[in-house]
Amino acid sequence: MRRFTPAVLAALTLTTALTAVPAAQADDGGSPVLGIAACTGTACHFDVPPGTYDVKVLLGGEAASSTAIAGETRRSLLPATVVPAGERIARTFTVNVRTPEGEPTGVDGTPGLDLVLGGSAPALADIRVTPARHARQVFLVGDSTVCDQPGDPYSGWGQQLPQYLRKGVAVANYADSGESTVTYLGNPRLWATVQPQIHRGDLVMIQLAHNDKTTDEATYRANLETLVAGVREKGGRPVLVTPIVRRWFNADGTLNNGTALLVNGLGVDHPAVVRSVAAARDVPLIDLTAKTKSLVESLGVEGSKALYLYNEKRDNTHTSVHGATVYAGLVRDELLAQHLVPEGLVRVG
């Protein structure tokens, strides 16, 4: 799959009320407090080095409001939060800041932490950014169906996953467009960059298959086993994820064909191999192939178009923001069901 050239983001026309506060003051330790003085209109920029940060926001204003927050390369960090007129609601989340800020082989992006307010009527009353202490990391290893896509209307499910996690968990999305198990292991900007960052207890979710079109079964299996072993070597917790389906219907309305279910030209059934490796190596499995197949078939030929970019690009592989959000929700459900992330750190409802 090709990399999509970043589109120039359209100017935001949303309005918001930012409570007037003094410029950031030093805290008791002498470090500057990163607050609302760094925000203008619907955007905030914080000059911080790469790392993991907790963000606490106070939402609401004189009028009823609905505020969502995205950051860095179009990552959804906080879902739309409705606040009645005259009230305030506090919300927190943890965000990973890195260079490059999106796809590992993409452009560096803007240094520091950038946040953008969205929602139908955004209202930010206050914000504080502080270095996160003892945050859990969720690393994502994947392809363009997972990555932080730079340009609208594309979105990977990993780009939408952070909004489902609370303060204390940060998603470090190292998925990259066009990568197979072969290229991910071979490119020094990918696995060789990710593995040294893994610490004991970190979750590493692996979904690679869409681009293994010419990878034979023995090689594909061995590559998955190498990734699993590499995670465990650092004390991390590997999770194998079968690939999302391609929206490719049979005449009877099912997806029971090699194109939809990721069987490559050599006859390698990628989801089946992933399931087999997970069972053989005692690795947690999120069967996203089965879950997305069931959902797409239930929606039918017409209803499922909104999950993908069929209407915009005649693309039956890559997901829209809506589809990526729905698929990230399926991943969230499995993180909860399999107790891979503590219940108190996952947003539900």
Side-chain angles (χ1 to χ4, degrees):
M1 290 174 284
R2 62 188 177 91
R3 179 183 305 285
F4 302 99
T5 304
V8 177
L9 297 178
L12 293 170
T13 58
L14 298 173
T15 59
T16 185
L18 298 181
T19 302
V21 297
Q25 303 295 319
D27 62 18
D28 292 339
S31 300
V33 175
L34 301 173
I36 205 165
C39 301
T40 304
T42 56
C44 303
H45 174 76
F46 301 94
D47 289 320
V48 295
T52 306
Y53 295 88
D54 291 331
V55 180
K56 181 177 181 179
V57 295
L58 189 64
L59 305 176
E62 294 183 3
S65 62
S66 176
T67 308
I69 299 178
E72 299 295 90
T73 303
R74 302 176 60 237
R75 295 181 222 158
S76 294
L77 300 172
L78 187 72
T81 303
V82 175
V83 182
E87 296 186 16
R88 301 288 189 275
I89 291 179
R91 290 289 185 267
T92 56
F93 56 87
T94 301
V95 60
N96 170 259
V97 177
R98 62 182 183 273
T99 303
E101 67 180 27
E103 295 181 82
T105 63
V107 298
D108 283 354
T110 305
L113 171 60
D114 287 284
L115 302 176
V116 177
L117 305 182
S120 59
L124 178 66
D126 199 9
I127 185 170
R128 288 291 182 269
V129 175
T130 56
R133 300 183 183 278
H134 311 299
R136 301 166 184 258
Q137 299 287 343
V138 177
F139 290 93
L140 302 183
V141 170
D143 52 38
S144 60
T145 66
V146 184
C147 75
D148 287 349
Q149 287 281 2
D152 186 66
Y154 294 90
S155 180
W157 63 255
Q159 200 164 18
Q160 303 301 323
L161 185 62
Q163 67 184 297
Y164 291 117
L165 301 173
R166 299 182 183 276
K167 176 186 173 184
V169 184
V171 175
N173 190 352
Y174 280 86
D176 196 71
S177 292
E179 306 300 342
S180 65
T181 57
V182 176
T183 61
Y184 204 96
L185 284 167
N187 190 328
R189 299 183 70 178
L190 298 172
W191 183 238
T193 296
V194 174
Q195 191 195 20
Q197 299 182 62
I198 301 170
H199 293 95
R200 182 164 301 279
D202 286 343
L203 209 64
V204 184
M205 303 173 66
I206 302 163
Q207 186 217 280
L208 287 166
H210 279 273
N211 299 299
D212 280 281
K213 298 172 184 176
T214 59
T215 309
D216 63 81
E217 182 169 338
T219 301
Y220 184 63
R221 179 182 296 273
N223 288 345
L224 292 176
E225 291 174 341
T226 296
L227 289 166
V228 166
V231 174
R232 286 176 166 164
E233 178 185 328
K234 303 296 289 186
R237 297 180 295 149
V239 178
L240 289 173
V241 183
T242 59
I244 67 170
V245 293
R246 297 189 179 108
R247 185 188 162 277
W248 199 267
F249 283 93
N250 296 326
D252 63 359
T254 67
L255 300 179
N256 296 319
N257 59 77
T259 299
L261 299 180
L262 283 295
V263 178
N264 76 8
L266 301 179
V268 180
D269 185 331
H270 293 102
V273 176
V274 175
R275 296 176 189 121
S276 175
V277 172
R281 301 297 177 180
D282 193 26
V283 178
L285 173 74
I286 295 179
D287 198 341
L288 206 50
T289 305
K291 290 185 174 298
T292 55
K293 177 179 185 291
S294 177
L295 176 59
V296 170
E297 287 181 340
S298 71
L299 292 172
V301 174
E302 291 301 317
S304 62
K305 288 179 179 178
L307 295 174
Y308 292 80
L309 291 170
Y310 179 84
N311 293 324
E312 298 87 349
K313 303 286 184 178
R314 295 297 187 268
D315 187 333
N316 292 306
T317 297
H318 299 93
T319 47
S320 63
V321 171
H322 167 66
T325 302
V326 172
Y327 286 179
L330 297 177
V331 173
R332 181 271 314 272
D333 293 345
E334 284 299 298
L335 293 177
L336 274 174
Q338 298 190 42
H339 307 291
L340 296 171
V341 175
E343 183 175 347
L345 298 179
V346 180
R347 296 185 195 279
V348 294

